[in-house]
């Protein structure tokens, strides 16, 4: 299996993503610069955290216009698993691949610390290695992680079981404690916590590695079925 790690000017978690996939999970990975226009040959796509284009205008607002994003949108339609973390989540929101918007943290302060999460849905390509209602610890590091959506969208997220993670003791004012959501097709996940920073006990938690292993398991099962 081969992962693409998209790199925008200002990305700063791309190396962490690469390390998690290559060194901890044991799968192939390659950096893809934002000016590229094709993602052919990749089996999953990772949009890392950071400050794409300096987060000017809004977080992710400029990155959505990068040439590579058209390829990301095509991959989403083709059912390729796509994970956006922190700034990557914000880019997915700005690109319209996920619903809602991101606001400044409720206390207007940057937060960087380990955070307990609840696994709400473990029946997805991203969470199958977890158990339902499992509580995990994944670091957060953001100033704009206050997820917002209107009530109609929230109802859709709930009824379609698209809320994958919620915060325990909401750190940023996020609507309904939401920490991670999935698209309707089930192949695009955006989350503010950083699973790539929790792939070894040396980092304080290995709870994030299950997310990457879930993607690998999904890919293998899908390809065995289609073989």
């Amino acid at each position: 299996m081969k992962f693409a790690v998209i790199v925008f000017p200002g990305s700063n978690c791309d190396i962490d993503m690469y390390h998690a996939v290559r060194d901890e999970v044991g799968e192939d990975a390659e950096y893809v610069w934002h000016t590229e226009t094709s993602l052919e040959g990749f089996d999953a796509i990772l949009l890392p955290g950071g400050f794409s284009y300096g987060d000017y205008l809004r977080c992710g607002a400029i990155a959505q216009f990068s040439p590579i994003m058209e390829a990301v949108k095509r991959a989403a339609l083709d059912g390729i698993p796509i994970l956006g973390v922190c700034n990557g989540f914000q880019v997915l929101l700005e690109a319209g691949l996920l619903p809602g918007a991101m606001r400044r943290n409720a206390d207007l302060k940057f937060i960087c610390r380990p955070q307990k999460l609840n696994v709400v849905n473990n029946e997805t390509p991203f969470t199958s290695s977890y158990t339902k209602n499992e509580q995990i610890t994944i670091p957060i590091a953001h100033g704009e992680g206050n997820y917002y959506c209107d009530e109609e969208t929230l109802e859709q997220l709930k009824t379609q079981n698209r809320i994958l993670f919620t915060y325990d003791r909401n750190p940023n004012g996020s609507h309904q404690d939401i920490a991670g959501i999935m698209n309707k097709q089930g192949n695009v996940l955006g989350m503010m916590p950083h699973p790539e920073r929790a792939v070894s006990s040396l980092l304080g938690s290995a709870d994030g590695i299950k997310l990457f292993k879930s993607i690998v398991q999904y890919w293998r099962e899908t390809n065995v079925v289609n073989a």
Side-chain angles (χ1 to χ4, degrees):
M1 183 178 185
K2 189 172 184 179
F3 286 80
V5 180
I6 308 299
V7 183
F8 300 101
S11 295
N12 64 15
C13 298
D14 45 332
I15 296 176
D16 298 315
M17 281 283 199
Y18 186 90
H19 165 74
V21 173
R22 284 290 298 264
D23 302 326
E24 300 295 339
V25 181
E27 299 295 331
D28 195 9
E30 184 176 314
Y31 295 115
V32 178
W33 189 232
H34 68 114
T35 55
E36 297 292 333
T37 57
S38 174
L39 287 165
E40 187 173 352
F42 291 102
D43 304 301
I45 299 165
L46 307 174
L47 278 70
F51 303 91
S52 58
Y53 296 90
D55 277 349
Y56 293 115
L57 298 180
R58 293 184 309 275
C59 298
I62 299 177
Q64 67 159 314
F65 297 111
S66 291
I68 195 60
M69 288 306 297
E70 289 302 316
V72 172
K73 292 176 181 176
R74 290 195 297 271
L77 291 174
D78 290 340
I80 302 295
I82 298 171
L83 167 65
V85 170
C86 199
N87 192 233
F89 185 10
Q90 294 159 344
V91 174
L92 293 175
L93 292 171
E94 291 287 340
L97 290 172
L98 291 171
M102 204 64 72
R103 304 182 296 189
R104 295 282 303 276
N105 293 344
D107 62 2
L108 304 182
K109 295 180 180 178
F110 187 91
I111 306 170
C112 183
R113 69 186 189 206
Q115 173 67 44
K116 290 191 179 301
L117 306 177
N118 304 304
V119 179
V120 179
N121 180 2
N122 71 327
E123 298 179 348
T124 80
F126 306 96
T127 55
S128 61
S129 296
Y130 296 103
T131 58
K132 185 175 176 59
N133 299 322
E134 181 177 351
Q135 192 167 72
I136 59 177
T137 299
I138 305 286
I140 57 172
H142 57 248
E144 295 189 20
N146 184 355
Y147 177 78
Y148 172 80
C149 65
D150 60 31
E151 291 307 310
E152 180 180 352
T153 300
L154 178 63
E155 187 62 25
Q156 291 176 355
L157 291 174
K158 286 182 174 179
T159 57
Q160 296 169 2
N161 213 11
R162 292 162 53 191
I163 300 172
L164 272 55
F165 300 105
T166 58
Y167 295 111
D168 181 61
R169 299 188 178 183
N170 192 332
N172 52 31
S174 182
H175 199 27
Q176 295 282 303
D177 303 326
I178 289 174
I181 60 170
M182 187 174 63
N183 67 338
K184 186 175 181 180
Q185 293 73 24
N187 67 308
V188 179
L189 166 63
M191 60 188 297
M192 289 309 295
H194 288 264
E196 78 281 6
R197 297 185 185 178
V199 292
S200 167
S201 58
L202 289 174
L203 299 174
S205 171
D207 289 343
I209 199 167
K210 290 183 180 179
L211 192 149
F212 298 103
K213 289 184 174 179
S214 296
I215 298 174
V216 173
Q217 179 179 342
Y218 168 79
W219 179 82
R220 288 177 175 162
E221 291 175 350
T222 302
N223 281 271
V224 167
V225 169
N226 293 333

